[in-house]
Amino acid sequence: MAGNATAMAEAQLMVREKVEAAALLQWKFMTGSLGSSPPAMMTASVTHYRKAVRRNRRRLARPGK
């Protein structure tokens, strides 16, 4: 909470990424691209979020972060 401008920018980016990931998952659900059975939907949902987390980790692991 007492971070500098870089920390504030990172926090805002993280929130934006989470909102985008949730919105995209909702879109995938509504269009049927997650599958037709509950297990398939759950697997596709977890895969969707894992990709977002992986991108986050890669970005944060870069030098200077």
Side-chain angles (χ1 to χ4, degrees):
M1 296 215 346
N4 57 20
T6 303
M8 177 62 95
E10 179 60 35
Q12 290 173 341
L13 179 60
M14 287 172 50
V15 170
R16 188 181 84 222
E17 288 173 340
K18 286 176 182 12
V19 170
E20 288 174 359
L24 181 56
L25 185 62
Q26 184 177 9
W27 177 257
K28 287 179 176 184
F29 176 74
M30 292 186 321
T31 59
S33 64
L34 293 178
S36 58
S37 70
M41 289 180 192
M42 181 57 77
T43 299
S45 297
V46 170
T47 300
H48 171 79
Y49 278 118
R50 281 187 178 162
K51 287 179 185 176
V53 169
R54 191 176 314 121
R55 283 191 302 267
N56 237 353
R57 284 184 179 166
R58 285 181 186 149
R59 187 184 76 249
L60 292 172
R62 281 187 275 162
K65 288 288 178 183

Short mmCIF file of all heavy atoms in Angstrom, two decimals:
data_model
loop_
_atom_site.label_atom_id
_atom_site.label_comp_id
_atom_site.label_asym_id
_atom_site.label_seq_id
_atom_site.Cartn_x
_atom_site.Cartn_y
_atom_site.Cartn_z
N MET A 1 0.82 -1.19 0.00
CA MET A 1 0.00 0.00 0.00
C MET A 1 0.86 1.25 0.00
O MET A 1 0.40 2.27 -0.45
CB MET A 1 -0.94 0.01 1.19
CG MET A 1 -1.92 -1.13 1.10
SD MET A 1 -3.59 -0.91 1.70
CE MET A 1 -3.64 0.52 2.64
N ALA A 2 2.05 1.16 0.50
CA ALA A 2 2.92 2.33 0.53
C ALA A 2 3.96 2.25 -0.58
O ALA A 2 5.02 2.83 -0.48
CB ALA A 2 3.61 2.43 1.89
N GLY A 3 3.63 1.53 -1.66
CA GLY A 3 4.57 1.33 -2.75
C GLY A 3 4.74 2.59 -3.59
O GLY A 3 4.03 3.57 -3.45
N ASN A 4 5.67 2.51 -4.49
CA ASN A 4 5.95 3.64 -5.37
C ASN A 4 5.06 3.57 -6.62
O ASN A 4 4.16 2.75 -6.71
CB ASN A 4 7.44 3.65 -5.73
CG ASN A 4 7.88 2.36 -6.40
OD1 ASN A 4 7.06 1.62 -6.91
ND2 ASN A 4 9.18 2.10 -6.39
N ALA A 5 5.35 4.43 -7.58
CA ALA A 5 4.55 4.49 -8.80
C ALA A 5 4.62 3.18 -9.59
O ALA A 5 3.63 2.76 -10.20
CB ALA A 5 5.02 5.65 -9.67
N THR A 6 5.76 2.51 -9.56
CA THR A 6 5.90 1.24 -10.26
C THR A 6 5.00 0.18 -9.64
O THR A 6 4.35 -0.59 -10.36
CB THR A 6 7.37 0.77 -10.23
OG1 THR A 6 8.19 1.79 -10.81
CG2 THR A 6 7.55 -0.52 -11.01
N ALA A 7 4.94 0.14 -8.33
CA ALA A 7 4.07 -0.81 -7.64
C ALA A 7 2.60 -0.52 -7.94
O ALA A 7 1.81 -1.46 -8.15
CB ALA A 7 4.32 -0.76 -6.14
N MET A 8 2.24 0.74 -8.00
CA MET A 8 0.86 1.12 -8.32
C MET A 8 0.51 0.69 -9.74
O MET A 8 -0.57 0.15 -9.99
CB MET A 8 0.67 2.62 -8.17
CG MET A 8 -0.73 3.07 -8.55
SD MET A 8 -2.00 2.35 -7.52
CE MET A 8 -2.18 3.64 -6.33
N ALA A 9 1.41 0.91 -10.67
CA ALA A 9 1.16 0.51 -12.05
C ALA A 9 1.01 -1.01 -12.16
O ALA A 9 0.13 -1.50 -12.89
CB ALA A 9 2.30 0.99 -12.95
N GLU A 10 1.82 -1.75 -11.45
CA GLU A 10 1.74 -3.22 -11.45
C GLU A 10 0.42 -3.67 -10.85
O GLU A 10 -0.23 -4.59 -11.38
CB GLU A 10 2.90 -3.84 -10.69
CG GLU A 10 2.87 -5.35 -10.62
CD GLU A 10 2.90 -6.02 -11.98
OE1 GLU A 10 3.55 -5.51 -12.91
OE2 GLU A 10 2.26 -7.09 -12.12
N ALA A 11 -0.01 -3.06 -9.77
CA ALA A 11 -1.28 -3.42 -9.14
C ALA A 11 -2.45 -3.16 -10.10
O ALA A 11 -3.36 -4.00 -10.23
CB ALA A 11 -1.48 -2.64 -7.85
N GLN A 12 -2.41 -2.04 -10.79
CA GLN A 12 -3.48 -1.73 -11.75
C GLN A 12 -3.47 -2.72 -12.91
O GLN A 12 -4.53 -3.16 -13.37
CB GLN A 12 -3.32 -0.31 -12.26
CG GLN A 12 -3.64 0.72 -11.20
CD GLN A 12 -3.34 2.14 -11.64
OE1 GLN A 12 -2.60 2.38 -12.58
NE2 GLN A 12 -3.94 3.09 -10.94
N LEU A 13 -2.29 -3.10 -13.38
CA LEU A 13 -2.18 -4.08 -14.45
C LEU A 13 -2.72 -5.43 -14.01
O LEU A 13 -3.45 -6.09 -14.76
CB LEU A 13 -0.72 -4.20 -14.90
CG LEU A 13 -0.44 -5.22 -16.01
CD1 LEU A 13 -1.21 -4.88 -17.27
CD2 LEU A 13 1.05 -5.27 -16.29
N MET A 14 -2.41 -5.83 -12.80
CA MET A 14 -2.89 -7.12 -12.28
C MET A 14 -4.41 -7.14 -12.22
O MET A 14 -5.03 -8.14 -12.60
CB MET A 14 -2.29 -7.40 -10.91
CG MET A 14 -0.83 -7.78 -10.96
SD MET A 14 -0.02 -7.89 -9.33
CE MET A 14 -1.13 -8.91 -8.42
N VAL A 15 -5.01 -6.05 -11.74
CA VAL A 15 -6.47 -5.99 -11.67
C VAL A 15 -7.07 -6.06 -13.07
O VAL A 15 -8.02 -6.79 -13.32
CB VAL A 15 -6.93 -4.73 -10.91
CG1 VAL A 15 -8.43 -4.54 -11.04
CG2 VAL A 15 -6.52 -4.81 -9.45
N ARG A 16 -6.49 -5.30 -14.00
CA ARG A 16 -7.00 -5.30 -15.37
C ARG A 16 -6.91 -6.70 -15.98
O ARG A 16 -7.85 -7.17 -16.63
CB ARG A 16 -6.23 -4.31 -16.24
CG ARG A 16 -6.87 -4.14 -17.62
CD ARG A 16 -6.12 -3.19 -18.50
NE ARG A 16 -5.05 -3.95 -19.13
CZ ARG A 16 -3.81 -3.51 -19.29
NH1 ARG A 16 -3.46 -2.34 -18.85
NH2 ARG A 16 -2.91 -4.26 -19.88
N GLU A 17 -5.80 -7.38 -15.75
CA GLU A 17 -5.63 -8.74 -16.29
C GLU A 17 -6.66 -9.70 -15.71
O GLU A 17 -7.19 -10.55 -16.42
CB GLU A 17 -4.23 -9.25 -16.00
CG GLU A 17 -3.16 -8.59 -16.82
CD GLU A 17 -1.75 -8.99 -16.41
OE1 GLU A 17 -1.57 -9.48 -15.28
OE2 GLU A 17 -0.84 -8.80 -17.22
N LYS A 18 -6.95 -9.57 -14.43
CA LYS A 18 -7.93 -10.45 -13.80
C LYS A 18 -9.33 -10.21 -14.35
O LYS A 18 -10.07 -11.15 -14.61
CB LYS A 18 -7.90 -10.28 -12.28
CG LYS A 18 -6.67 -10.90 -11.65
CD LYS A 18 -6.62 -10.62 -10.17
CE LYS A 18 -5.43 -11.13 -9.45
NZ LYS A 18 -4.31 -11.61 -10.18
N VAL A 19 -9.69 -8.95 -14.54
CA VAL A 19 -11.00 -8.62 -15.09
C VAL A 19 -11.11 -9.12 -16.52
O VAL A 19 -12.12 -9.70 -16.91
CB VAL A 19 -11.25 -7.10 -15.00
CG1 VAL A 19 -12.50 -6.70 -15.78
CG2 VAL A 19 -11.37 -6.66 -13.55
N GLU A 20 -10.05 -8.93 -17.31
CA GLU A 20 -10.06 -9.41 -18.69
C GLU A 20 -10.17 -10.94 -18.75
O GLU A 20 -10.90 -11.48 -19.59
CB GLU A 20 -8.80 -8.95 -19.43
CG GLU A 20 -8.80 -7.49 -19.75
CD GLU A 20 -7.49 -7.00 -20.35
OE1 GLU A 20 -6.54 -7.81 -20.50
OE2 GLU A 20 -7.41 -5.81 -20.67
N ALA A 21 -9.44 -11.63 -17.88
CA ALA A 21 -9.49 -13.09 -17.86
C ALA A 21 -10.90 -13.57 -17.51
O ALA A 21 -11.42 -14.51 -18.13
CB ALA A 21 -8.47 -13.65 -16.88
N ALA A 22 -11.53 -12.94 -16.54
CA ALA A 22 -12.88 -13.33 -16.14
C ALA A 22 -13.88 -13.04 -17.25
O ALA A 22 -14.76 -13.87 -17.53
CB ALA A 22 -13.28 -12.60 -14.86
N ALA A 23 -13.76 -11.89 -17.91
CA ALA A 23 -14.67 -11.54 -19.00
C ALA A 23 -14.52 -12.50 -20.17
O ALA A 23 -15.51 -12.94 -20.76
CB ALA A 23 -14.44 -10.11 -19.44
N LEU A 24 -13.28 -12.84 -20.51
CA LEU A 24 -13.05 -13.77 -21.61
C LEU A 24 -13.59 -15.15 -21.28
O LEU A 24 -14.18 -15.82 -22.13
CB LEU A 24 -11.56 -13.84 -21.94
CG LEU A 24 -11.18 -14.76 -23.09
CD1 LEU A 24 -11.91 -14.38 -24.37
CD2 LEU A 24 -9.67 -14.71 -23.31
N LEU A 25 -13.42 -15.58 -20.04
CA LEU A 25 -13.95 -16.89 -19.64
C LEU A 25 -15.47 -16.89 -19.75
O LEU A 25 -16.07 -17.86 -20.22
CB LEU A 25 -13.51 -17.24 -18.22
CG LEU A 25 -13.92 -18.62 -17.75
CD1 LEU A 25 -13.28 -19.71 -18.61
CD2 LEU A 25 -13.54 -18.82 -16.30
N GLN A 26 -16.11 -15.81 -19.34
CA GLN A 26 -17.56 -15.71 -19.45
C GLN A 26 -17.98 -15.78 -20.91
O GLN A 26 -18.96 -16.46 -21.25
CB GLN A 26 -18.05 -14.41 -18.82
CG GLN A 26 -19.56 -14.28 -18.82
CD GLN A 26 -20.02 -13.03 -18.12
OE1 GLN A 26 -19.24 -12.17 -17.76
NE2 GLN A 26 -21.32 -12.90 -17.94
N TRP A 27 -17.25 -15.10 -21.79
CA TRP A 27 -17.55 -15.14 -23.22
C TRP A 27 -17.41 -16.58 -23.75
O TRP A 27 -18.27 -17.05 -24.49
CB TRP A 27 -16.62 -14.20 -23.97
CG TRP A 27 -16.84 -14.26 -25.45
CD1 TRP A 27 -16.06 -14.90 -26.37
CD2 TRP A 27 -17.92 -13.69 -26.17
NE1 TRP A 27 -16.60 -14.77 -27.61
CE2 TRP A 27 -17.74 -14.02 -27.53
CE3 TRP A 27 -19.03 -12.94 -25.80
CZ2 TRP A 27 -18.63 -13.61 -28.51
CZ3 TRP A 27 -19.91 -12.54 -26.80
CH2 TRP A 27 -19.71 -12.87 -28.13
N LYS A 28 -16.35 -17.24 -23.35
CA LYS A 28 -16.16 -18.63 -23.79
C LYS A 28 -17.31 -19.51 -23.32
O LYS A 28 -17.77 -20.39 -24.05
CB LYS A 28 -14.83 -19.18 -23.27
CG LYS A 28 -13.62 -18.61 -23.96
CD LYS A 28 -12.34 -19.20 -23.37
CE LYS A 28 -11.11 -18.73 -24.10
NZ LYS A 28 -9.89 -19.38 -23.57
N PHE A 29 -17.78 -19.27 -22.10
CA PHE A 29 -18.89 -20.06 -21.56
C PHE A 29 -20.16 -19.80 -22.37
O PHE A 29 -20.86 -20.73 -22.76
CB PHE A 29 -19.13 -19.71 -20.09
CG PHE A 29 -20.31 -20.40 -19.49
CD1 PHE A 29 -20.26 -21.74 -19.18
CD2 PHE A 29 -21.48 -19.71 -19.25
CE1 PHE A 29 -21.36 -22.40 -18.64
CE2 PHE A 29 -22.59 -20.34 -18.72
CZ PHE A 29 -22.52 -21.69 -18.41
N MET A 30 -20.44 -18.53 -22.65
CA MET A 30 -21.67 -18.18 -23.36
C MET A 30 -21.67 -18.67 -24.81
O MET A 30 -22.72 -18.96 -25.36
CB MET A 30 -21.90 -16.68 -23.32
CG MET A 30 -22.22 -16.16 -21.94
SD MET A 30 -22.68 -14.41 -21.82
CE MET A 30 -21.61 -13.59 -22.95
N THR A 31 -20.51 -18.77 -25.42
CA THR A 31 -20.44 -19.21 -26.81
C THR A 31 -20.27 -20.73 -26.93
O THR A 31 -20.24 -21.25 -28.04
CB THR A 31 -19.28 -18.52 -27.55
OG1 THR A 31 -18.05 -18.82 -26.90
CG2 THR A 31 -19.48 -17.01 -27.60
N GLY A 32 -20.13 -21.41 -25.81
CA GLY A 32 -20.02 -22.85 -25.83
C GLY A 32 -18.63 -23.38 -26.15
O GLY A 32 -18.46 -24.57 -26.39
N SER A 33 -17.63 -22.51 -26.13
CA SER A 33 -16.30 -22.97 -26.50
C SER A 33 -15.55 -23.65 -25.35
O SER A 33 -14.41 -24.06 -25.53
CB SER A 33 -15.47 -21.80 -27.05
OG SER A 33 -15.27 -20.82 -26.07
N LEU A 34 -16.19 -23.77 -24.21
CA LEU A 34 -15.56 -24.47 -23.08
C LEU A 34 -15.88 -25.96 -23.09
O LEU A 34 -15.31 -26.73 -22.33
CB LEU A 34 -16.01 -23.88 -21.74
CG LEU A 34 -15.55 -22.46 -21.44
CD1 LEU A 34 -16.14 -22.00 -20.11
CD2 LEU A 34 -14.05 -22.37 -21.42
N GLY A 35 -16.80 -26.37 -23.94
CA GLY A 35 -17.21 -27.76 -23.98
C GLY A 35 -18.68 -27.89 -23.62
O GLY A 35 -19.34 -26.90 -23.31
N SER A 36 -19.15 -29.10 -23.64
CA SER A 36 -20.58 -29.30 -23.39
C SER A 36 -20.88 -30.01 -22.08
O SER A 36 -22.00 -29.97 -21.59
CB SER A 36 -21.21 -30.06 -24.56
OG SER A 36 -20.55 -31.29 -24.73
N SER A 37 -19.89 -30.66 -21.51
CA SER A 37 -20.13 -31.37 -20.24
C SER A 37 -19.49 -30.58 -19.10
O SER A 37 -18.51 -29.86 -19.30
CB SER A 37 -19.52 -32.77 -20.29
OG SER A 37 -18.11 -32.69 -20.28
N PRO A 38 -20.04 -30.70 -17.91
CA PRO A 38 -19.45 -29.98 -16.77
C PRO A 38 -17.96 -30.28 -16.55
O PRO A 38 -17.19 -29.35 -16.33
CB PRO A 38 -20.31 -30.44 -15.59
CG PRO A 38 -21.64 -30.71 -16.20
CD PRO A 38 -21.32 -31.32 -17.55
N PRO A 39 -17.51 -31.54 -16.65
CA PRO A 39 -16.07 -31.79 -16.48
C PRO A 39 -15.23 -31.08 -17.55
O PRO A 39 -14.16 -30.55 -17.25
CB PRO A 39 -15.93 -33.31 -16.58
CG PRO A 39 -17.27 -33.83 -16.20
CD PRO A 39 -18.25 -32.83 -16.73
N ALA A 40 -15.71 -31.07 -18.79
CA ALA A 40 -14.97 -30.41 -19.86
C ALA A 40 -14.92 -28.90 -19.62
O ALA A 40 -13.88 -28.26 -19.84
CB ALA A 40 -15.61 -30.70 -21.22
N MET A 41 -16.03 -28.34 -19.16
CA MET A 41 -16.07 -26.91 -18.86
C MET A 41 -15.11 -26.55 -17.74
O MET A 41 -14.43 -25.53 -17.80
CB MET A 41 -17.49 -26.48 -18.49
CG MET A 41 -18.45 -26.48 -19.62
SD MET A 41 -20.06 -25.97 -19.01
CE MET A 41 -21.09 -26.38 -20.39
N MET A 42 -15.06 -27.38 -16.72
CA MET A 42 -14.18 -27.13 -15.59
C MET A 42 -12.71 -27.20 -16.04
O MET A 42 -11.90 -26.33 -15.70
CB MET A 42 -14.43 -28.12 -14.46
CG MET A 42 -13.55 -27.89 -13.25
SD MET A 42 -13.69 -26.23 -12.55
CE MET A 42 -15.23 -26.39 -11.70
N THR A 43 -12.38 -28.22 -16.82
CA THR A 43 -11.02 -28.37 -17.30
C THR A 43 -10.62 -27.18 -18.16
O THR A 43 -9.53 -26.63 -18.01
CB THR A 43 -10.88 -29.68 -18.11
OG1 THR A 43 -11.19 -30.77 -17.25
CG2 THR A 43 -9.48 -29.84 -18.67
N ALA A 44 -11.50 -26.76 -19.06
CA ALA A 44 -11.20 -25.62 -19.93
C ALA A 44 -11.08 -24.33 -19.11
O ALA A 44 -10.23 -23.48 -19.43
CB ALA A 44 -12.29 -25.47 -20.99
N SER A 45 -11.88 -24.18 -18.08
CA SER A 45 -11.80 -22.99 -17.23
C SER A 45 -10.48 -22.93 -16.49
O SER A 45 -9.83 -21.88 -16.44
CB SER A 45 -12.95 -22.98 -16.22
OG SER A 45 -14.19 -22.91 -16.87
N VAL A 46 -10.07 -24.05 -15.93
CA VAL A 46 -8.79 -24.09 -15.21
C VAL A 46 -7.63 -23.82 -16.16
O VAL A 46 -6.71 -23.06 -15.84
CB VAL A 46 -8.62 -25.45 -14.48
CG1 VAL A 46 -7.22 -25.61 -13.94
CG2 VAL A 46 -9.65 -25.57 -13.37
N THR A 47 -7.69 -24.40 -17.35
CA THR A 47 -6.66 -24.16 -18.36
C THR A 47 -6.59 -22.68 -18.72
O THR A 47 -5.50 -22.12 -18.85
CB THR A 47 -6.94 -25.01 -19.61
OG1 THR A 47 -6.93 -26.38 -19.24
CG2 THR A 47 -5.91 -24.76 -20.69
N HIS A 48 -7.74 -22.07 -18.87
CA HIS A 48 -7.81 -20.64 -19.20
C HIS A 48 -7.09 -19.80 -18.14
O HIS A 48 -6.26 -18.96 -18.47
CB HIS A 48 -9.28 -20.22 -19.31
CG HIS A 48 -9.50 -18.76 -19.42
ND1 HIS A 48 -9.32 -18.07 -20.60
CD2 HIS A 48 -9.87 -17.84 -18.50
CE1 HIS A 48 -9.58 -16.80 -20.40
NE2 HIS A 48 -9.92 -16.63 -19.14
N TYR A 49 -7.40 -20.04 -16.88
CA TYR A 49 -6.78 -19.26 -15.81
C TYR A 49 -5.29 -19.60 -15.65
O TYR A 49 -4.50 -18.73 -15.31
CB TYR A 49 -7.52 -19.45 -14.49
CG TYR A 49 -8.74 -18.56 -14.40
CD1 TYR A 49 -10.00 -19.09 -14.28
CD2 TYR A 49 -8.61 -17.18 -14.43
CE1 TYR A 49 -11.12 -18.27 -14.21
CE2 TYR A 49 -9.72 -16.35 -14.36
CZ TYR A 49 -10.97 -16.91 -14.24
OH TYR A 49 -12.06 -16.09 -14.17
N ARG A 50 -4.93 -20.83 -15.89
CA ARG A 50 -3.50 -21.19 -15.78
C ARG A 50 -2.67 -20.41 -16.80
O ARG A 50 -1.54 -20.01 -16.51
CB ARG A 50 -3.31 -22.69 -15.97
CG ARG A 50 -3.64 -23.47 -14.74
CD ARG A 50 -3.29 -24.92 -14.90
NE ARG A 50 -3.58 -25.63 -13.67
CZ ARG A 50 -3.71 -26.93 -13.57
NH1 ARG A 50 -3.56 -27.69 -14.64
NH2 ARG A 50 -3.98 -27.49 -12.42
N LYS A 51 -3.20 -20.22 -17.99
CA LYS A 51 -2.49 -19.45 -19.01
C LYS A 51 -2.28 -18.01 -18.54
O LYS A 51 -1.21 -17.44 -18.73
CB LYS A 51 -3.26 -19.47 -20.34
CG LYS A 51 -3.18 -20.79 -21.05
CD LYS A 51 -3.98 -20.76 -22.34
CE LYS A 51 -4.00 -22.12 -23.00
NZ LYS A 51 -4.85 -22.13 -24.20
N ALA A 52 -3.31 -17.44 -17.95
CA ALA A 52 -3.20 -16.06 -17.45
C ALA A 52 -2.17 -15.98 -16.34
O ALA A 52 -1.35 -15.05 -16.30
CB ALA A 52 -4.56 -15.57 -16.96
N VAL A 53 -2.16 -16.94 -15.44
CA VAL A 53 -1.20 -16.95 -14.34
C VAL A 53 0.22 -17.14 -14.88
O VAL A 53 1.17 -16.49 -14.42
CB VAL A 53 -1.56 -18.06 -13.31
CG1 VAL A 53 -0.44 -18.27 -12.32
CG2 VAL A 53 -2.86 -17.71 -12.60
N ARG A 54 0.37 -18.01 -15.87
CA ARG A 54 1.68 -18.24 -16.47
C ARG A 54 2.24 -16.95 -17.09
O ARG A 54 3.40 -16.61 -16.91
CB ARG A 54 1.60 -19.33 -17.53
CG ARG A 54 2.94 -19.84 -18.01
CD ARG A 54 2.82 -21.00 -19.00
NE ARG A 54 1.87 -22.02 -18.56
CZ ARG A 54 0.78 -22.40 -19.25
NH1 ARG A 54 0.52 -21.88 -20.42
NH2 ARG A 54 -0.01 -23.32 -18.78
N ARG A 55 1.39 -16.21 -17.81
CA ARG A 55 1.83 -14.93 -18.39
C ARG A 55 2.25 -13.96 -17.30
O ARG A 55 3.26 -13.26 -17.42
CB ARG A 55 0.71 -14.32 -19.23
CG ARG A 55 0.52 -14.97 -20.58
CD ARG A 55 -0.41 -14.17 -21.46
NE ARG A 55 -1.72 -13.98 -20.88
CZ ARG A 55 -2.77 -14.76 -21.09
NH1 ARG A 55 -2.66 -15.81 -21.89
NH2 ARG A 55 -3.93 -14.50 -20.50
N ASN A 56 1.50 -13.93 -16.21
CA ASN A 56 1.82 -13.07 -15.08
C ASN A 56 3.18 -13.42 -14.49
O ASN A 56 4.01 -12.55 -14.24
CB ASN A 56 0.76 -13.23 -14.00
CG ASN A 56 0.08 -11.94 -13.65
OD1 ASN A 56 0.47 -10.89 -14.09
ND2 ASN A 56 -0.94 -12.06 -12.83
N ARG A 57 3.39 -14.69 -14.26
CA ARG A 57 4.66 -15.13 -13.66
C ARG A 57 5.84 -14.79 -14.55
O ARG A 57 6.88 -14.35 -14.07
CB ARG A 57 4.64 -16.63 -13.40
CG ARG A 57 3.82 -17.01 -12.21
CD ARG A 57 3.91 -18.48 -11.94
NE ARG A 57 3.13 -18.82 -10.76
CZ ARG A 57 2.80 -20.04 -10.42
NH1 ARG A 57 3.18 -21.06 -11.18
NH2 ARG A 57 2.10 -20.26 -9.34
N ARG A 58 5.67 -14.99 -15.85
CA ARG A 58 6.76 -14.67 -16.78
C ARG A 58 7.08 -13.17 -16.73
O ARG A 58 8.25 -12.78 -16.73
CB ARG A 58 6.40 -15.08 -18.20
CG ARG A 58 6.46 -16.56 -18.43
CD ARG A 58 6.12 -16.90 -19.86
NE ARG A 58 6.06 -18.33 -20.03
CZ ARG A 58 5.27 -18.95 -20.89
NH1 ARG A 58 4.48 -18.26 -21.67
NH2 ARG A 58 5.28 -20.25 -20.98
N ARG A 59 6.05 -12.36 -16.75
CA ARG A 59 6.26 -10.92 -16.71
C ARG A 59 6.95 -10.50 -15.42
O ARG A 59 7.90 -9.72 -15.42
CB ARG A 59 4.94 -10.18 -16.87
CG ARG A 59 5.14 -8.67 -17.00
CD ARG A 59 3.86 -7.88 -17.06
NE ARG A 59 3.28 -7.78 -15.73
CZ ARG A 59 2.16 -8.36 -15.33
NH1 ARG A 59 1.46 -9.08 -16.17
NH2 ARG A 59 1.71 -8.23 -14.11
N LEU A 60 6.51 -11.02 -14.31
CA LEU A 60 7.06 -10.63 -13.02
C LEU A 60 8.47 -11.19 -12.78
O LEU A 60 9.22 -10.66 -11.98
CB LEU A 60 6.14 -11.07 -11.88
CG LEU A 60 4.80 -10.33 -11.86
CD1 LEU A 60 3.88 -10.96 -10.83
CD2 LEU A 60 4.99 -8.86 -11.57
N ALA A 61 8.81 -12.25 -13.50
CA ALA A 61 10.13 -12.86 -13.33
C ALA A 61 11.20 -12.14 -14.15
O ALA A 61 12.40 -12.38 -13.95
CB ALA A 61 10.08 -14.32 -13.74
N ARG A 62 10.78 -11.25 -15.05
CA ARG A 62 11.76 -10.53 -15.84
C ARG A 62 12.64 -9.66 -14.96
O ARG A 62 12.15 -9.12 -13.95
CB ARG A 62 11.06 -9.64 -16.88
CG ARG A 62 10.59 -10.42 -18.08
CD ARG A 62 10.06 -9.49 -19.12
NE ARG A 62 8.66 -9.24 -18.78
CZ ARG A 62 7.95 -8.24 -19.24
NH1 ARG A 62 8.46 -7.35 -20.03
NH2 ARG A 62 6.69 -8.10 -18.89
N PRO A 63 13.89 -9.51 -15.32
CA PRO A 63 14.78 -8.66 -14.54
C PRO A 63 14.23 -7.24 -14.43
O PRO A 63 13.63 -6.73 -15.36
CB PRO A 63 16.09 -8.66 -15.34
CG PRO A 63 16.02 -9.90 -16.17
CD PRO A 63 14.56 -10.14 -16.46
N GLY A 64 14.42 -6.66 -13.27
CA GLY A 64 13.95 -5.29 -13.05
C GLY A 64 12.53 -5.22 -12.53
O GLY A 64 11.99 -4.15 -12.33
N LYS A 65 11.90 -6.35 -12.28
CA LYS A 65 10.52 -6.36 -11.77
C LYS A 65 10.52 -6.68 -10.30
O LYS A 65 11.34 -7.31 -9.77
CB LYS A 65 9.66 -7.38 -12.51
CG LYS A 65 9.34 -6.96 -13.91
CD LYS A 65 8.36 -5.86 -13.89
CE LYS A 65 8.03 -5.37 -15.29
NZ LYS A 65 7.15 -4.28 -15.30
#
